[in-house]
Amino acid sequence: MIKNILLITSFFIMTFSCVGTKESQYHSISFEEQLRTNVDIDLPEVKIVENLHELTDIYTKLQDPKYPRSAPIPYFDSENESMILLKPQLKNHSNGDIEIIDVLMTGSEVIINYKEIENWEYAEKNQSHPILIIKINKVAKKVNLNLIKSNNT
């Protein structure tokens, strides 16, 4: 009887101690917003930009032909930094925008927690394809987007 109680107690202790382990491996990292726009263009929901040439191609695709000068293409060191393109499908605000809540990292995996927000400018222009490019001072190999539902959505 006592042996069974000890066995069950040990099982629960091991189970619950492992549950928190993965969570505690993630730590918050800072990021810099490089570009925010709203363009209906075929891009993946999330993409790690591999090099400056690829970033230049993305900026060229995003350039508005109405304006002769586009946003300057930021430099990044692909050996020590990552540029991440975000273009999530909006689920709660058809003409909204996104706001990054935090960026978490463990090893080379990044989780970007974001929420959808209203944007009167995008609503006025009937735009529904927000695009955001951020830079982190770490090298990412995998990125996951995580939509956080806010109380008013």
Side-chain angles (χ1 to χ4, degrees):
M1 175 79 168
I2 293 176
K3 197 175 197 179
N4 288 342
I5 292 173
L6 287 175
L7 195 63
I8 292 171
T9 305
S10 297
F11 173 75
F12 281 118
I13 290 171
M14 288 187 337
T15 301
F16 290 119
S17 66
C18 291
V19 168
T21 304
K22 184 154 177 90
E23 290 293 319
S24 63
Q25 291 176 351
Y26 287 94
H27 59 280
S28 183
I29 60 170
S30 61
F31 67 94
E32 291 177 45
E33 185 175 307
Q34 300 296 309
L35 178 72
R36 179 178 293 269
T37 189
N38 197 312
V39 180
D40 186 8
I41 187 170
D42 186 31
L43 290 170
E45 183 175 63
V46 63
K47 174 164 186 33
I48 300 169
V49 180
E50 301 293 330
N51 53 50
L52 193 55
H53 177 72
E54 188 175 9
L55 185 64
T56 303
D57 287 346
I58 291 169
Y59 268 72
T60 301
K61 288 179 184 177
L62 296 174
Q63 183 176 355
D64 190 339
K66 292 186 277 186
Y67 303 106
R69 295 188 74 191
S70 63
I73 300 167
Y75 174 79
F76 80 104
D77 176 8
S78 59
E79 299 290 321
N80 299 304
E81 302 171 319
S82 294
M83 288 285 196
I84 302 171
L85 174 118
L86 308 171
K87 187 184 181 246
Q89 290 288 90
L90 297 176
K91 295 172 178 53
N92 302 313
H93 296 284
S94 59
N95 298 112
D97 201 355
I98 61 171
E99 178 183 322
I100 295 178
I101 296 170
D102 62 5
V103 178
L104 305 173
M105 187 167 199
T106 181
S108 60
E109 180 182 357
V110 173
I111 295 177
I112 299 173
N113 292 315
Y114 74 99
K115 67 180 180 178
E116 294 180 8
I117 57 173
E118 293 180 23
N119 184 311
W120 63 269
E121 186 179 2
Y122 292 169
E124 217 174 66
K125 296 177 182 178
N126 199 27
Q127 294 176 313
S128 58
H129 307 281
I131 297 172
L132 187 61
I133 297 177
I134 65 169
K135 177 167 81 171
I136 60 172
N137 292 323
K138 307 280 184 186
V139 176
K141 298 292 182 197
K142 181 180 177 187
V143 177
N144 293 310
L145 276 178
N146 183 31
L147 174 61
I148 305 294
K149 296 191 188 268
S150 62
N151 295 337
N152 57 359
T153 56

